[in-house]
Structure formats: structure tokens, C-alpha cells
Amino acid sequence: MLGVSLYLAASLLAAEPASSAEASREVEEVFEQRRYYFCADDNSFVARPWDQRWCELAARTDYRHCRGFERVCAQDTEGSGADASGYAAGEGTEVGKTKPDRANPNARREREREQSLWELPDLGGFAKLLMWILLIGIGLGAVIAVAKNFVRDAERDEPEPEPEPDASESLIAARAEARRVVETDVQRLLARAELADKAGRHEDAINDVYAALLRRLEGGGLISVDRWKTNGDYVRALTSPLRGEVREIVRLVEQVQFGAASAEAGRYQTIRAQVVAIVTRAALAVALALGLGAQTACDPDERPDSSALAGLGTGPSGQRAVGELLLGFDIEARYRAGAIEQLSSTHGAIVLLAGAMLDKEDWELLLRWVEDDGGMLVVTNSLALPRSLGIESTRDSEQTPLALEHDGYDAYFDELEYAAPLGYTLEVRMSARGETDELLVRPGPDLWADTALTQLPSTERAPYVVRRQLGDEGGQVVVFADPYMLTNAALLVADNGAFLVNLFRSAEVDEVEFVNGYTGAGADDPFESVRNAKLGALFLQLLLFLAVLYAAVGVPFARLRDPQRQRRRSFAEHVRTLGQRYAQARAARYVAGLYSAWALDRLRERLLPGSARGLLPLAQAIAARTGRDEGRVMQTLVQAHELRETAGHSTRGGPGDLALMRELAQLLDETGGAR
Amino acid sequence: MTVQQFAHTFAAIRTEVNRVLLGQDELVEQVLLAICARGHVLIEGVPGLGKTLLVRTLGRVLGCEFKRIQFTPDLMPSDVTGGNVFNQQDNAFMFLPGPVFTQLLLADEINRAPAKTQSALLEAMQDRSVTVDGATRPLPRPFFTIATQNPIESQGTYPLPEAQLDRFLMKINVDHPTREVEKALLRNYVQGFDAGNLDTIGIREICTAEELVALQAATQTVSVDEGILDYITEVVGRTRAQRSVYLGASPRASIALLTTARARAASESRSYVIPDDVKHLAPAILRHRLVLHPDAEIEGTTPDDCVQAILREAPVPRTAA
């Protein structure tokens, strides 16, 4: 009684088998997507030999779900030299496009590795010595230059004295400077406003909520908030209808800030409601814009979550449609990018596709995972099975499409029809690892009564798909004789789609990971990525370049600096420029003469006003005022007088002219200023 | 009068004046604000831009007595203020008032007269009274002067002295109209508009002189926050520390900013001044009060550049930045 109850409970908990009609409907939806180019009516898909092996079976179903496949089957195949066994899950190509070499990734990697080896010519002993000396010299030079720069920069980077604060700095500027640390995060401003409101500081709350509005508008690129801008500046920067809404908020805020309106809770709530409406609308608009952008950027036929299957092929021999079919039945299917070594103990399924490269350790890991964690391992490449599993594949004598049948009673697989194109079967030996269950055997009864499919005697029926239970946790290994049942094209024939869905449903699997030749090929860290991409030498060159640049320019290289202020020319510079123009015109003597005349006049005005007497009284007056020797002063005055008289006749000046002008300037300075 | 009534009347006046003066909304608004703030206006622009027409229209719309003085190089101060004339019948001197005794005075092309004659308006503009031969006579209320001048580069002009310029509340620059405005102006003339006869378009008198005085009084009810006073002193104070400015704005400029900002607030139906009022009016109020260094002038710097630079530096009170 207990056993019956447990059986019933298990039956209720288990997922229901997918019917033929459900699977067929889902398959049709999957192949309606544009990515399955070979199903398009006007496709020019070039099929490979292994793609065309499905043609005969697909023709018997009148190419249902995939009308374009008829066109594919009618074309000549490409790459007929490939392995007829079809253990490479090629995608096929469009005409004129290059097909990537996915047939044997291992071999391709080996080729790349060999090509990447650096082959240096034999330079000879002396040349090698010279090269090393040169390299070491360059390296030492760079190190010394860098060290020198460090020392130099340490000296140069001494802190400059802070300028004294300007005494004329006004009170409002000082207050504003004291408040320079301002909050700019919208959400924090709104939260701060709420806190201020609860604390009864309604004016602070209004200021904060208004600041939140401004920061939101600034975040949207509509305004830029500056200390010198008024609220009117912000409003004018906006466009309708936002301008009107913000103007209304500004009016309410300014009534509190500058008017007689009191800051009260009701007014705060009014302002907050309007601000939040704009803030959330802006956020919503951004979200909508992003969403629309994403929608328009993506393929409209994209089914949910199918991007995780991007590593699988979309041709007849690819597996993406299988994954999407599983997704349609709520089984989380995805391509596995991480290495097998990183396998986590999840209760899901791993499908090893053709081309998956596993070494002995990987197999051990996988089988242990099946035994200990109850995982499900689906193997489509039976040629590489470990011997300990006791299952081997053998080539079937028949090379024609054959029907399959389910052996024994199983609610998941009975009452469905199966078919596969060619000739591998499995040979099951006795093994210590679990019991074997033959899911599909070949050939089965003739599915199409009007055709002449080969009927083999029942004694020659060999298994095509077998399942072996491993461990006590319900783990199982499912082995396919060849990879063809797990391809996109297989879904076009009979009830193969329903079989695949039920295969996973019967094991109550809700996660399926597909493993192929590229699984685990990615880098685990940036260094490995650089190494794999062979960019190490390039990065070293860049670092060397930066070191040399640093050595040449020093620390200031790439250091942030304040923008250089544009300085206006001072009046002295104007005068200096004027002097240079005179110098270029060779008019130095002329200028000295003019200055002498001007200086004599000024001295006479200051010391002998109203007098037109000669130089002697002037020299006496200067000597009396300055205490200088009268004779020296007289000599200077005479020279100045002569220079004034002769300035018009000679333009070529001399060093004496400049000395005389300085002497006169000194006299002027001592007798009442330089002007 | 409430600020709402003020704003209503102000808008009506502006609309009526704008019917005559096309495309000069900013000019009309600023002149009206200056009048409401009891200030005088100096309008600078090349001939033919409608400066005189504006003042004549204002005289009609505001219901004020209007007189015009055409300043010429030979104009004497007594031609402005009037003077004592001997009356043979009474055998005594009697005062013959000059054209300054009016409510709205148009001093047309004021910089065509020498400084001596220009200075005849100093007392009238500041104290609203005229002193002739020791007798001081008050001018009618309201009294305001709108002077026009040609750009200083024009031939036959005399620059106004700083003391005279400081008496003007605002200096407004008038520029050429846009093509569209000019075309609309021509269309008006095609339809019979005559600038010499404002009756052709039926200009109405919106308010009386008494109501204008009430408007001026209403601006006093507008409140001014402490932060606004800080902002005004900050802006004006910075004109004195500006590197390009030799002589900055006086405290009279601060007062002018304050009173005009209150008028602008009332014109927008507000009972309080906001920083935007000050910032909006600062160029018109400060530009004629700044004397630039010669080297700044050589480099092409204008007072407007200095004011704009100051407004881009002076922090606004209660800013969120």
C-alpha cells in the first residue's frame, strides 16, 4: 500500500510528458524565427553532406515547420570531403560567406599555436652579445632617467605657499564658500528633505527638495547648476511643457525663500508632490527610452532568454533550436562557457555535443557528478566514451533512414514516432556501473506504409539510445549512437522534438547545459586573456613607451592641471612693445633725444618755474635739492642738452644714451617723482 | 494699490506702447520700470530707431504733460531751466519757466550740447527742483527725464560727465530692429500710420499722472529679503574690484538696483524681490556708471562685458549649487 502511495506521489510530482502536438507547435514557433535561415522560403543556404542526410526524412513530412529546407535539399552540397559519419555539427553557411573552422577546434588551436611561435634567425655570437648590450643599455638608461625624474619631481613638488585670503572677499562669497560641499544626489536630497520635514525644519526641507529637482534636471542634461545662476536662468533653459511646471515650483519655493510666505508642512508637501512627479517622470522617461532602445535594437523575433544559447549553431546540424524547444517547455537551456572543472553540484543535465573535448579527468569528474549529485549526462558522441561505462558504438550496416521505436513501456516515450537518418548503433556490455535501459532501438516498424523502409529482423535490433542509471542519487547517463538526434534538423522529423523534451522531463531536469568544443576555451582571468590573445608583447611595448615618456616628461605627464588663465597684457607690456618697434626702426637716438628734452623741461618746471635761464642755474638748483655734486649734474645736463639738439640728425644710439636716460630718470625721481 | 493692480496697469501701459513701437519690448519694459522707480532714462542709439516716438507715446499713454528739448551746440542753460525776465508793465523781474517745468521731459540728443548746458539738468533730475537766481522752484510731480543720445563716436557730440550719467537710473541701448519687425513697421505705414500724429492709430491714455504717482508708491510695498540686499551689494561691490574698471559703480547704483528690482517684482505681481530681478536689470543700471581702464578699452572691453563677467561670478543667494 505504501509502495503504491509513493508511486502515485512520484507520478504527481513528476512533470507531465509533452505530447506530440505540443512539441510540434513549439517547434513551429521556433523555426519561424529569422535566425533559422535555412527555413526561410528564399534562403540560399548551402548545406553540408551531414545536413542533407535529413532530407529524405524531411521530405516524407512534407517539410513541415521548415519550408525552406526543401530548397536546401535541392541544392548541391558543399565540402563533400568532410567525414561522412557527420560527427561535426556544422552550421552550414550562406553563399559567399566564409565558414569558420569548427570541425576540429583542437587541431585548429594546435595550428595556431605552431604559427605563433617566434622563430628568430641565428644571429651569431657577436650579434647576440651586441643585442643584449643594447637592450641592457636602453633598460639602464630608462631606469636612471626615471630615478632622476623622481628626485627632480620630489624637489619640484614641494607645496607652494597658500595665497593669503583676499581681504576684500565679501561676506556672501565667504558664506557661499563655506557651503561648498553640497549634496548632489537626488535620492539623498529627497531623503534629507523628508528628515528635515519630520524634524519641523520645513524651510530646509523645501530647499532640499528643490535642490533635488535641479539636480535631476541637471542629470538629464537639461540645465547646468552653477552658483551664479538664478532660478529664472534655470527656467529659461528649459523647454515647454517642463518649463511651465518648473516655473510653478520655482514660484512656490521663492515665496518661501524671498517672500513673506511661511515654510509650513502643507507647502512642503505641495512642492514635494510636484517635484517627485517630475523626478519620477524623468526617470520613467529614461527607463522607457532605454527599454524602447533595447526593444528596437533587438531582433523582434527574439524569444525570451535564448541569448544564453548563442554559442550553439542555427543551421540544420546546429543545436540552438533544440535549446529553444526546451526553453519553450520551461527547461532552462543554455550554452556552457565555463570549463568542466568548474562544474557545480546542480541537479541538472549536461549535454556533450560532438566536438566536446574531454580528457580522462573530465570524464571522471562528470561521472562522479552523475553518481554523487544525481546529475544527468547526455552524450551524443559515443565514439569517445570511457570504457568503464560499458557502452560502445558500432557502425550499422544500413545507411538508409530508419525508423526508431521505443523498447518497453514508458509513459514518456510510448505513442510517439521517431526517426533518424543513419547508421550507428550502440553495443552495451556488462558493466559494474549501473543498469542499462534501452530507450530507442532501431529499426522499428515502418512508419510510412507506402514506403520501403528497411525492415530488419527483430534479432538484429540494436539500441540507438540507451540510458544507464548510476549511483544512488538517481543520476543517469544517456548515450546517443550518433549526434543526429540532437540537432535542429531532427526536430523536423516525426516526434523527435517530443522525445527530447520528454527525455529531460522524465529525469525531472530543469536546467540543461550544452557543451561543445569551445566550452572552457575562454580565459579565467585578464592575464590569461592577454596571454591567449598573444598581446603580451604589445602590452610590454606600451609599458616601455610609457616609461620612456615618463623619463622624458616626468611626473607632470598626464597630471591634471588647472586650465591656464588668459592673462591680459599690462600697460607696461604695451610700452615695451612700443619700445621694441622704435628699436626695430633704429630710432634709439631719436627716442633718447625726446626723453632728454622732456626730462629737462620737467626739471626746469619743478626747480626753476617761470625761468628760461641756462643750464647752470638748473644744475645749481638740482645739486642743492639732491645733494649731488654740481659738476656731475652739470655734465649730465649738458649731455642731455646736446642729445636734444642732435637727436634729429642721428638715429643710431649707443650705450651712453641709455646711461644718460637712466641718470636723468634718477634726477627726476629725486626731485619729485619719475613723472 | 496692490501689486496685482500694479501689474495689471503696468501690462496695459506696456501693451498700448507696444502698439506704436514694434519689436522693442525690452526697451519699453525697462523704460516703464525706470519710470515706476522714479528714475530717469538715457537711451542710446543711432538716429531713426524710434527713441523720440517712444517718449511721445509714453507722454500720451501716461497722461503726463510732455515737453521736448532739442539739444544743440548753442543751447544755453537758461534755455532749459528758464530765467528771470524784466516785466516793464510791473516794473519787476518775473520768472519765465523753461521747458524743464513739465512732467515728462524729452532731452533729445543730449550729447549734442556742451557739458555746461547738460549740467543744467543736474538739479532737476536729482532734486526735482530748479534754482534760478537764488530761488528754488519745485518741478511738477511726477517728473522724469528721458534723454536720448547718439553713440559717442558720432560727429558733433560731447560725452556726458560722470556726475550727469550717474543721475540716470538706466542706460538702455537700442539696436536695429529685425527684418520681420521692420517689415511689420512698413506695413503699418502702408495702412496709414503716421508717427507725427498718434491719433491715427487711436492711442489711449491708460492712466493719469496721479495714478502714475500711485504706481510709484506701490513699489514701496514690495519686500526685500536680506539675501537680496547681500546680492545687490555683492554685484555693485564687484564693479569696484573688477580689473578692467577704473571707476566702479556708486552706492547710488545700489539704490537704483533696489528700487528698480522692486518695480520689476511688482510688475510681475510679486510682493517680493528675487535675484532674477537684480540680475535682469544690472546691465542697464550699471553699464553707464563704469569707467574702464584705458588699456581695457584698447583691448575692446565694454562695460557690458564687465557687468556680465561680474554676474557670472557673484553667487546668488540661497542657491542649490
Side-chain angles (χ1 to χ4, degrees):
Chain A
M1 190 65 184
L2 182 63
V4 173
S5 302
L6 287 172
Y7 176 78
L8 285 173
S11 302
L12 287 171
L13 287 172
E16 295 223 347
S19 68
S20 170
E22 286 174 333
S24 178
R25 200 161 46 244
E26 189 64 31
V27 168
E28 185 172 2
E29 285 182 15
V30 168
F31 282 115
E32 279 176 357
Q33 297 177 88
R34 283 186 302 179
R35 69 166 60 92
Y36 299 103
Y37 178 67
F38 69 95
C39 285
D41 290 338
D42 54 348
N43 75 78
S44 54
F45 190 91
V46 178
R48 302 303 172 92
W50 48 84
D51 294 330
Q52 290 212 331
R53 293 180 195 280
W54 286 98
C55 287
E56 188 173 345
L57 287 172
R60 294 183 188 283
T61 61
D62 198 20
Y63 302 102
R64 60 172 188 171
H65 312 321
C66 186
R67 295 286 173 196
F69 197 50
E70 182 179 9
R71 190 183 175 97
V72 174
C73 292
Q75 292 176 351
D76 291 335
T77 58
E78 184 187 75
S80 55
D83 181 11
S85 66
Y87 273 58
E91 290 186 45
T93 56
E94 293 177 42
V95 171
K97 287 190 175 179
T98 308
K99 174 186 163 300
D101 180 13
R102 301 184 67 176
N104 193 346
N106 202 20
R108 182 174 56 80
R109 287 179 194 169
E110 285 300 320
R111 278 201 305 276
E112 287 175 354
R113 194 172 295 132
E114 287 169 9
Q115 286 168 2
S116 66
L117 289 175
W118 289 6
E119 292 181 3
L120 289 175
D122 186 8
L123 298 173
F126 179 72
K128 281 182 181 174
L129 182 67
L130 198 62
M131 183 190 77
W132 282 113
I133 289 173
L134 197 63
L135 284 176
I136 291 171
I138 291 173
L140 279 177
V143 168
I144 291 170
V146 169
K148 276 185 179 176
N149 263 311
F150 269 120
V151 174
R152 192 173 60 206
D153 289 332
E155 292 170 353
R156 197 182 296 164
D157 285 353
E158 286 179 359
E160 294 177 2
E162 288 288 327
E164 289 291 323
D166 188 0
S168 64
E169 191 78 17
S170 67
L171 187 60
I172 187 172
R175 283 180 189 160
E177 198 58 40
R179 293 196 300 264
R180 279 310 289 154
V181 180
V182 291
E183 181 60 78
T184 58
D185 183 83
V186 175
Q187 295 306 323
R188 280 203 293 269
L189 281 167
L190 289 174
R192 203 167 74 177
E194 277 294 285
L195 285 176
D197 179 51
K198 284 175 184 167
R201 292 180 288 111
H202 302 303
E203 187 167 354
D204 290 344
I206 289 173
N207 288 338
D208 280 342
V209 82
Y210 177 60
L213 171 67
L214 293 183
R215 294 298 172 184
R216 164 59 71 190
L217 296 173
E218 186 182 44
L222 300 173
I223 61 172
S224 104
V225 178
D226 289 298
R227 297 169 63 200
W228 52 271
K229 284 187 177 171
T230 63
N231 295 328
D233 291 331
Y234 299 133
V235 171
R236 284 187 287 274
L238 298 171
T239 54
S240 297
L242 195 58
R243 177 187 284 188
E245 295 174 52
V246 175
R247 181 184 284 130
E248 177 60 21
I249 294 172
V250 164
R251 191 181 63 81
L252 291 172
V253 171
E254 286 183 335
Q255 281 174 356
V256 174
Q257 288 184 335
F258 303 107
S262 60
E264 55 195 20
R267 181 176 289 268
Y268 163 71
Q269 291 299 340
T270 306
I271 295 171
R272 182 183 171 85
Q274 295 185 27
V275 168
V276 168
I278 293 177
V279 167
T280 52
R281 191 186 331 139
L284 186 64
V286 170
L288 277 176
L290 288 174
L292 283 175
Q295 285 296 315
T296 52
C298 293
D299 187 345
D301 294 337
E302 187 84 18
R303 290 160 63 87
D305 298 331
S306 67
S307 57
L309 299 165
L312 305 175
T314 56
S317 300
Q319 292 83 23
R320 182 159 181 161
V322 177
E324 292 200 40
L325 174 67
L326 297 179
L327 282 174
F329 283 91
D330 297 328
I331 298 173
E332 187 68 31
R334 56 177 173 267
Y335 169 70
R336 180 177 180 84
I340 295 293
E341 292 88 0
Q342 299 163 355
L343 187 67
S344 59
S345 57
T346 56
H347 186 67
I350 287 183
V351 180
L352 298 179
L353 300 173
M357 292 180 296
L358 299 178
D359 54 21
K360 190 177 176 185
E361 286 78 21
D362 292 336
W363 273 112
E364 285 298 322
L365 185 68
L366 281 173
L367 293 177
R368 198 162 55 246
W369 170 70
V370 172
E371 283 180 334
D372 298 344
D373 297 331
M376 180 183 187
L377 180 64
V378 179
V379 185
T380 64
N381 186 356
S382 59
L383 293 176
L385 281 173
R387 290 186 60 81
S388 63
L389 207 56
I391 302 172
E392 291 180 0
S393 67
T394 57
R395 182 174 287 273
D396 193 6
S397 56
E398 298 298 328
Q399 292 296 313
T400 53
L402 295 175
L404 303 167
E405 68 174 3
H406 175 243
D407 189 28
Y409 173 77
D410 193 320
Y412 284 96
F413 305 116
D414 284 343
E415 300 178 3
L416 297 176
E417 297 174 346
Y418 313 104
L422 52 82
Y424 272 86
T425 56
L426 296 171
E427 184 178 324
V428 181
R429 290 184 281 101
M430 290 298 290
S431 171
R433 305 186 82 151
E435 302 212 351
T436 305
D437 175 21
E438 297 179 355
L439 290 182
L440 292 180
V441 293
R442 57 182 302 168
D446 187 2
L447 296 175
W448 299 279
D450 57 340
T451 62
L453 281 176
T454 308
Q455 293 287 328
L456 295 179
S458 60
T459 54
E460 295 184 36
R461 294 176 0 154
Y464 181 70
V465 181
V466 301
R467 176 168 59 189
R468 173 156 282 184
Q469 308 288 341
L470 290 185
D472 300 327
E473 300 296 327
Q476 52 183 282
V477 178
V478 178
V479 181
F480 284 73
D482 57 43
Y484 287 93
M485 268 304 262
L486 248 123
T487 60
N488 298 338
L491 304 181
L492 302 174
V493 175
D495 295 326
N496 293 351
F499 169 76
L500 293 175
V501 172
N502 288 338
L503 179 67
F504 294 106
R505 276 198 166 183
S506 64
E508 297 180 27
V509 164
D510 52 7
E511 288 182 18
V512 176
E513 287 189 336
F514 291 86
V515 174
N516 66 9
Y518 293 104
T519 297
D524 293 331
D525 53 63
F527 295 105
E528 189 182 346
S529 177
V530 170
R531 195 162 53 244
N532 291 347
K534 298 177 176 50
L535 291 174
L538 179 65
F539 273 90
L540 282 176
Q541 286 177 23
L542 281 175
L543 285 174
L544 186 64
F545 171 72
L546 285 175
V548 171
L549 201 58
Y550 177 80
V553 184
V555 172
F557 166 66
R559 176 184 282 180
L560 287 176
R561 289 172 178 276
D562 291 333
Q564 196 167 8
R565 283 190 173 181
Q566 287 189 337
R567 196 175 62 85
R568 232 182 39 238
R569 282 177 295 167
S570 63
F571 186 67
E573 286 174 319
H574 285 289
V575 173
R576 199 172 294 118
T577 306
L578 193 64
Q580 286 171 351
R581 297 302 298 269
Y582 274 111
Q584 286 170 356
R586 298 179 184 277
R589 173 60 60 88
Y590 178 70
V591 172
L594 288 178
Y595 183 78
S596 299
W598 178 81
L600 287 174
D601 289 345
R602 294 285 84 72
L603 289 169
R604 200 181 297 281
E605 281 175 8
R606 287 176 187 174
L607 301 172
L608 299 172
S611 170
R613 291 180 293 174
L615 294 177
L616 184 58
L618 181 60
Q620 290 170 341
I622 292 172
R625 173 75 69 88
T626 62
R628 287 175 173 245
D629 178 54
E630 187 182 324
R632 293 290 304 274
V633 173
M634 186 64 192
Q635 186 181 359
T636 303
L637 294 181
V638 169
Q639 287 177 352
H641 187 263
E642 288 177 355
L643 194 58
R644 182 174 67 178
E645 298 300 321
T646 59
H649 309 297
S650 172
T651 57
R652 182 67 58 89
D657 295 343
L658 186 59
L660 178 62
M661 288 170 70
R662 285 182 174 151
E663 187 70 22
L664 288 170
Q666 190 71 28
L667 291 179
L668 283 168
D669 197 30
E670 292 174 7
T671 55
R675 292 189 176 184
Chain B
M1 179 181 279
T2 65
V3 289
Q4 284 76 20
Q5 292 168 328
F6 180 102
H8 182 262
T9 310
F10 188 91
I13 295 170
R14 186 167 56 184
T15 305
E16 195 67 12
V17 177
N18 280 338
R19 287 178 56 206
V20 176
L21 210 70
L22 301 179
Q24 301 282 13
D25 298 1
E26 182 83 7
L27 168 68
V28 172
E29 183 194 357
Q30 290 192 337
V31 169
L32 287 177
L33 287 176
I35 289 171
C36 293
R38 291 192 288 186
H40 311 286
V41 180
L42 176 63
I43 303 174
E44 181 175 295
V46 293
L49 293 179
K51 303 185 291 289
T52 311
L53 177 63
L54 165 69
V55 182
R56 286 200 298 112
T57 310
L58 275 175
R60 175 72 69 90
V61 173
L62 296 178
C64 293
E65 184 189 355
F66 163 71
K67 282 185 182 167
R68 169 181 176 169
I69 305 173
Q70 180 65 48
F71 277 65
T72 54
D74 58 350
L75 191 73
M76 299 299 290
S78 57
D79 296 333
V80 176
T81 60
N84 288 318
V85 179
F86 186 72
N87 187 337
Q88 289 185 337
Q89 288 181 341
D90 299 341
N91 201 23
F93 282 95
M94 62 170 289
F95 180 69
L96 196 63
V100 75
F101 285 87
T102 184
Q103 290 174 315
L104 174 55
L105 176 67
L106 169 60
D108 210 4
E109 297 189 284
I110 190 172
N111 60 340
R112 291 213 179 275
K116 178 177 67 177
T117 310
Q118 293 169 4
S119 301
L121 281 174
L122 279 177
E123 186 189 0
M125 291 170 67
Q126 180 64 32
D127 301 330
R128 287 176 164 77
S129 62
V130 171
T131 302
V132 177
D133 291 341
T136 301
R137 295 176 175 82
L139 295 173
R141 291 188 65 201
F143 171 78
F144 42 88
T145 305
I146 296 179
T148 68
Q149 73 169 3
N150 302 124
I152 204 67
E153 293 80 12
S154 300
Q155 288 188 345
T157 58
Y158 299 89
L160 269 65
E162 287 84 6
Q164 178 78 35
L165 283 172
D166 204 27
R167 259 64 174 187
F168 285 104
L169 185 82
M170 285 186 186
K171 180 187 173 190
I172 305 169
N173 294 333
V174 189
D175 208 349
H176 287 286
T178 61
R179 288 171 63 93
E180 290 74 22
V181 170
E182 198 162 351
K183 189 176 176 184
L185 193 149
L186 294 177
R187 197 177 295 120
N188 274 2
Y189 271 84
V190 170
Q191 291 169 356
F193 172 72
D194 180 7
N197 182 10
L198 294 177
D199 292 331
T200 53
I201 57 168
I203 287 294
R204 296 179 298 124
E205 179 181 309
I206 301 298
C207 68
T208 62
E210 290 72 26
E211 287 170 340
L212 185 59
V213 173
L215 278 177
Q216 292 174 337
T219 61
Q220 303 297 316
T221 64
V222 174
S223 66
V224 185
D225 183 74
E226 193 71 19
I228 299 295
L229 297 181
D230 279 342
Y231 186 51
I232 291 175
T233 51
E234 180 72 20
V235 170
V236 175
R238 281 178 183 252
T239 64
R240 298 162 199 155
Q242 178 80 358
R243 188 175 172 183
S244 304
V245 177
Y246 173 68
L247 185 64
S250 65
R252 186 181 280 143
S254 302
I255 298 168
L257 259 180
L258 176 65
T259 55
T260 322
R262 292 172 101 173
R264 185 173 188 262
S267 75
E268 294 185 353
S269 201
R270 270 187 283 110
S271 60
Y272 52 91
V273 176
I274 58 175
D276 209 38
D277 295 328
V278 178
K279 193 172 181 180
H280 182 78
L281 294 165
I285 289 174
L286 295 178
R287 65 165 62 104
H288 59 292
R289 302 173 199 268
L290 305 185
V291 180
L292 302 186
H293 279 299
D295 51 338
E297 286 187 352
I298 288 170
E299 291 180 349
T301 306
T302 64
D304 276 355
D305 296 335
C306 297
V307 175
Q308 291 301 337
I310 289 168
L311 293 175
R312 276 197 299 274
E313 292 169 357
V316 169
R318 308 199 182 195
T319 174

